[in-house]
Amino acid sequence: MFYKNDELCLLNYSIIENSLNIKLECLSKQSLEYKDLISNTIKEQKTTQVDKKQSIAKLHALLENQNLECIHGGKVILQSNKGKSFKDNNIPIMLESDLLNSSISACPNTIAGVSVPCSKVANVKGALSQKKVNNEYAILQELISACITDKGFPLKVSFTPTQFKFDHSFDPKEGLVKQSKNQTELKEPIIRLHYKSDRFQKDNLPIYNLLINNERKEQDKALNELNIDLKDLKDIEDINILNQFKQDFSKDYEFKALNLSLDTNLIKLYFIIPKNIAKIHKSAYKEFENKDLGAGYFTQLHEYDKIIKNALEDNKKLNAYHFSFLAPAKMKNLKLQIAKGLDEILEDEDRKQELYVCKFVVVNGIKI
């Protein structure tokens, strides 16, 4: 209950059941509007006894005007959409879809002098409230370090108290941060080839046959997905590329290659595979059904990308694409999708299934 600047909290009280022999009603328009948002107001479910091993933490929602950054100092561009109808001093709160895929600008991160900036927010699962607002979960400031950028790094925020607070249960022996990381859900890591005749083309060319490490893969229907075992990936033969990877990454990584031949294109895919699982994924990995796909997601490392014309001496028309990816940790099986149809439809389906797909584009007959 609120009166001017004062706040009163009645523990174990349900306005629906009129518990504690107290009868209260929400009369003001503001009370009715916010009653499901502020943790100190009524609950829409029966009061349950809190286990003695648990505590209730009232955590603060993230606001649109807060200073949110990746750990390197890159600024997250916040724009509230789903949460814009709920405001604290005229500043809207941020909900799950508002923060997910938000752009990150001016990230200074480098690896061995090579720029590897965080460019967007890729995962927010560990920072969500337990209760939904406008059919989505709110982003909680105290758990923001569980949000992950596309380069696998956490976020940080300058804390600001807000009137929108949410109950979050946690085991006090573990603490908030540990549980938030444990809640990070792993989904199938997918990498997808988009094959086009023009870089502005909105749909994709169907692929009926291609060479995978010089072995032909062919069928009557357009290819949709390839599953490739780690043992079928090759060691990197180009000593310059291999030495560059070894210089930029520690001994805790292994380096593999996959060659695809498609029409007049040779596509060289290089995979940098962590040998150890990141702490944020360890707990979820134990329950993950597809352990052979690894823990984490694919990230394209654009600083190593290049396209070489006439790369092969015996075929002057062939263009060679070199694409490098940071792969999921302990990856034993590679799921490579081949895009079919309109990009817009594919991306909409990815959002519905909450999939994080790493996409790369090959343009047939590109002029260099």
Side-chain angles (χ1 to χ4, degrees):
M1 293 182 289
F2 302 91
Y3 179 70
K4 295 183 178 180
N5 293 326
D6 295 322
E7 175 180 325
L8 171 65
C9 177
L10 289 180
L11 296 177
N12 300 318
Y13 176 74
S14 168
I15 196 170
I16 296 177
E17 298 180 351
N18 295 326
S19 56
L20 303 179
N21 294 320
I22 300 174
K23 184 175 182 179
L24 296 175
E25 294 180 351
C26 287
L27 300 178
S28 72
K29 181 179 179 181
Q30 185 180 26
S31 295
L32 292 172
E33 182 179 3
Y34 288 165
K35 68 178 183 178
D36 290 333
L37 301 182
I38 303 172
S39 62
N40 293 328
T41 57
I42 64 172
K43 306 296 181 183
E44 291 183 337
Q45 56 188 17
K46 294 182 178 181
T47 302
T48 57
Q49 182 178 1
V50 179
D51 190 280
K52 64 181 180 179
K53 294 182 179 180
Q54 291 186 327
S55 299
I56 298 296
K58 301 189 184 303
L59 308 184
H60 298 253
L62 180 70
L63 300 181
E64 185 186 50
N65 69 338
Q66 288 187 252
N67 182 29
L68 182 63
E69 300 177 338
C70 67
I71 60 170
H72 313 108
K75 182 175 179 57
V76 180
I77 309 302
L78 298 180
Q79 179 66 52
S80 179
N81 182 25
K82 293 281 287 186
K84 64 184 179 182
S85 56
F86 307 102
K87 299 179 180 179
D88 182 348
N89 291 326
N90 209 35
I91 306 299
I93 66 174
M94 297 290 294
L95 301 186
E96 182 176 7
S97 66
D98 297 332
L99 183 58
L100 186 63
N101 294 322
S102 292
S103 298
I104 302 175
S105 64
C107 172
N109 183 44
T110 61
I111 298 178
V114 178
S115 178
V116 189
C118 299
S119 61
K120 68 177 181 178
V121 179
N123 193 321
V124 299
K125 292 294 185 184
L128 303 181
S129 62
Q130 288 190 345
K131 190 172 184 180
K132 286 187 175 181
V133 177
N134 199 14
N135 294 321
E136 285 198 16
Y137 298 104
I139 303 296
L140 302 179
Q141 294 184 56
E142 290 88 340
L143 303 181
I144 206 68
S145 63
C147 293
I148 303 301
T149 73
D150 57 336
K151 298 301 186 293
F153 295 100
L155 301 180
K156 60 181 180 179
V157 69
S158 298
F159 178 77
T160 301
T162 70
Q163 69 165 306
F164 296 109
K165 294 179 288 185
F166 295 79
D167 288 349
H168 181 81
S169 298
F170 69 98
D171 187 330
K173 292 182 179 180
E174 292 186 352
L176 284 172
V177 175
K178 185 171 182 180
Q179 171 154 343
S180 68
K181 291 181 178 180
N182 290 345
Q183 290 176 343
T184 301
E185 180 184 3
L186 286 175
K187 291 184 177 291
E188 292 185 2
I190 298 171
I191 186 171
R192 182 187 293 151
L193 164 62
H194 289 246
Y195 189 46
K196 303 176 183 293
S197 59
D198 182 274
R199 64 190 182 95
F200 297 109
Q201 185 177 344
K202 294 183 179 181
D203 62 347
N204 297 275
L205 298 175
I207 299 174
Y208 297 93
N209 66 82
L210 76 164
L211 295 178
I212 304 175
N213 289 336
N214 294 322
E215 293 186 8
R216 183 168 296 279
K217 178 72 174 180
E218 185 174 9
Q219 62 183 39
D220 294 334
K221 295 182 179 180
L223 295 170
N224 182 54
E225 185 174 286
L226 305 172
N227 289 290
I228 302 168
D229 289 334
L230 181 65
K231 62 181 177 59
D232 294 324
L233 298 180
K234 305 296 184 182
D235 292 332
I236 299 176
E237 297 178 352
D238 190 316
I239 193 64
N240 293 326
I241 293 176
L242 181 59
N243 286 340
Q244 184 66 57
F245 287 158
K246 288 183 177 180
Q247 177 181 324
D248 294 347
F249 296 89
S250 71
K251 63 181 180 180
D252 294 326
Y253 295 84
E254 59 179 322
F255 312 104
K256 294 293 182 179
L258 178 70
N259 293 336
L260 304 177
S261 295
L262 178 61
D263 294 330
T264 58
N265 307 285
L266 175 63
I267 308 167
K268 290 180 171 288
L269 305 181
Y270 302 111
F271 298 99
I272 301 166
I273 309 171
K275 296 179 181 179
N276 301 314
I277 297 175
K279 290 182 179 180
I280 193 169
H281 291 141
K282 281 187 175 180
S283 180
Y285 183 72
K286 293 178 181 179
E287 308 297 328
F288 191 38
E289 294 181 357
N290 301 295
K291 289 184 172 61
D292 58 330
L293 296 178
Y297 305 95
F298 290 97
T299 300
Q300 187 169 354
L301 304 177
H302 293 282
E303 61 274 16
Y304 300 109
D305 292 350
K306 58 184 177 181
I307 305 174
I308 304 174
K309 189 176 182 179
N310 301 332
L312 298 181
E313 295 179 358
D314 59 346
N315 191 336
K316 298 299 182 182
K317 296 181 180 180
L318 200 63
N319 291 330
Y321 289 79
H322 293 249
F323 294 133
S324 300
F325 302 89
L326 183 63
K330 290 191 173 182
M331 182 185 75
K332 302 297 181 185
N333 182 273
L334 170 67
K335 177 176 286 191
L336 174 62
Q337 289 188 354
I338 299 176
K340 295 169 62 177
L342 288 169
D343 289 339
E344 183 179 355
I345 295 177
L346 292 171
E347 292 169 359
D348 184 60
E349 189 62 29
D350 292 341
R351 284 190 291 269
K352 288 180 180 178
Q353 298 185 40
E354 297 183 333
L355 297 177
Y356 180 66
V357 181
C358 181
K359 308 158 192 172
F360 65 100
V361 179
V362 172
V363 179
N364 185 34
I366 188 172
K367 295 181 179 180
I368 306 172

